[in-house]
Amino acid sequence: MSPAGAPARFSLNQETIRQWSLPELVAGCSAAGVGSVGLWRDPVERFGVRETAKLVAGAGLRVSSLCRGGFFTAADPDGRAAALEDNRRAVEEAAELGADALVLVSGGLPDGDRDLAGARRRIVDILGDLVPYAAGHGVRLGIEPLHPMYAADRCVVSTLGQALDIAEEFPATRVGVVVDSYHLWWDERLPSEVRRAGEAGRIVSVQVADWVTPLPEGVLLGRGQLGDGSIDLRAFRELTDSAGYRGPVEVEIFHPGLWARDGEEVLREVIDRYREHVA
Amino acid sequence: MSPAGAPARFSLNQETIRQWSLPELVAGCSAAGVGSVGLWRDPVERFGVRETAKLVAGAGLRVSSLCRGGFFTAADPDGRAAALEDNRRAVEEAAELGADALVLVSGGLPDGDRDLAGARRRIVDILGDLVPYAAGHGVRLGIEPLHPMYAADRCVVSTLGQALDIAEEFPATRVGVVVDSYHLWWDERLPSEVRRAGEAGRIVSVQVADWVTPLPEGVLLGRGQLGDGSIDLRAFRELTDSAGYRGPVEVEIFHPGLWARDGEEVLREVIDRYREHVA
């Protein structure tokens, strides 16, 4: 670690500085003493999965997560088969990268479908096929609840409690949950559900971003730099610590303002903010 | 009721056709056989509270709700006093209009404040002063949980369960809850919480709008026409029925697309959609 190295558990999710190529990401993280990165399938596939694995391992970086599998909610057999096939590829990629977890975003409602409960049941059903495949590859799955504002079009799993209900259909060594401040901060049940997740050994990833308003159109790219918003991020991190989580804390901010700036400058700022508001 | 009259429990919230003046609203509702309207303080104050009460009563219209009081979360004494004063005026207005309920939107986090639990506690505190005043005026208060996407800047009460926890600090004849499909549809606990609210006699208002994506910037004006989105509105209404609610079902849609059209045409469409998707 460099003298100005990032805190030990700090992890940089690749999308936070998406202007960086994979070699720039690895070089930038190495220079800043960052020990872990969260990767995304699209840029990894473009660069090559094997090449990425080699690059990352060569730099001694840990892959704290691979985003993402999921989108499990198709109601028709073809859609289900396509989702399963795509998720098997994601498992293989996570295995090759040695990722701590493959993050699963469950998917929203199919077009014209208004049956949230049915969509949630289909997630358990398809995981019944995916979990053995992931186990065979030594890959742990992490179900990520997304903010309820994404329930219709992106993820019908809206709370940590729901994610745990699904995860608990499978062994804790195989399926856990992703605990992201941006999605969960508003929920007064969060403390009890984080304890429940920790006691069961099911926290596979912790991610942080801040909540800033007004939300942008489409509500995808408005996550806030640490400290710019409404979330008590230190209390959030301490909550996961007190539940027994000791792994990387991944900074995952989707914000065009960060993408328009120099990557090294953004990383310095993110690390400074992490020290001030999270560590 | 006219031959093509609206269904008996149909209520039109004024903001759904905000291009209408109060006389236009009353005339339009009367012509369409609508028996109830939900009113908003701003247009009522501009027209005059007494004049509105006279106009509405003269047409035989029931006022299913007055929106809105609340914004209770100021942490400083001056802010608290101002909120209490404004809410006393809202109570007086609701009394003069004979509204079934005064809707309370609790308020978000004060600037720079990250303590959601503290803000939620302050709501109970200020209601301790407001409830006796409302009781003295014969006005029933309705705590409205808003979607979690508004937790930071508009309403720290994000679920029906939280709203009930607050309401239950006070007698059911004085404080109830507002059950709005747009805010609550995603919550798997909704059926049990609606039953809880119904058994306690605390459902003071039921509102409907559909959930459509993508959400617009600021996420305020993107509510969907009934049937255009992801919510099973009939199941939602039946849920409130089965919990014992027998009052008006208020259509409250904030959407610039509806505001740009002819009011009578919008009302006809809303009533048709209500028959098709809600009644």
Side-chain angles (χ1 to χ4, degrees), chain B residues 129-183:
Chain B
D129 285 341
L130 186 64
V131 169
Y133 192 80
H137 286 73
V139 169
R140 203 166 179 213
L141 305 174
I143 299 171
E144 180 166 22
L146 259 53
H147 193 283
M149 69 187 176
Y150 301 116
D153 55 354
R154 194 157 293 264
C155 186
V156 296
V157 177
S158 304
T159 64
L160 187 57
Q162 288 181 318
L164 282 165
D165 288 345
I166 294 171
E168 286 173 356
E169 300 279 328
F170 307 94
T173 51
R174 300 302 176 205
V175 183
V177 293
V178 178
V179 183
D180 184 319
S181 64
Y182 188 79
H183 298 301

Side-chain angles (χ1 to χ4, degrees), chain B residues 203-224:
Chain B
I203 303 178
V204 302
S205 172
V206 168
Q207 298 180 327
V208 287
D210 214 334
W211 181 273
V212 292
T213 57
L215 296 168
E217 184 181 357
V219 300
L220 270 180
L221 305 182
R223 303 195 193 183

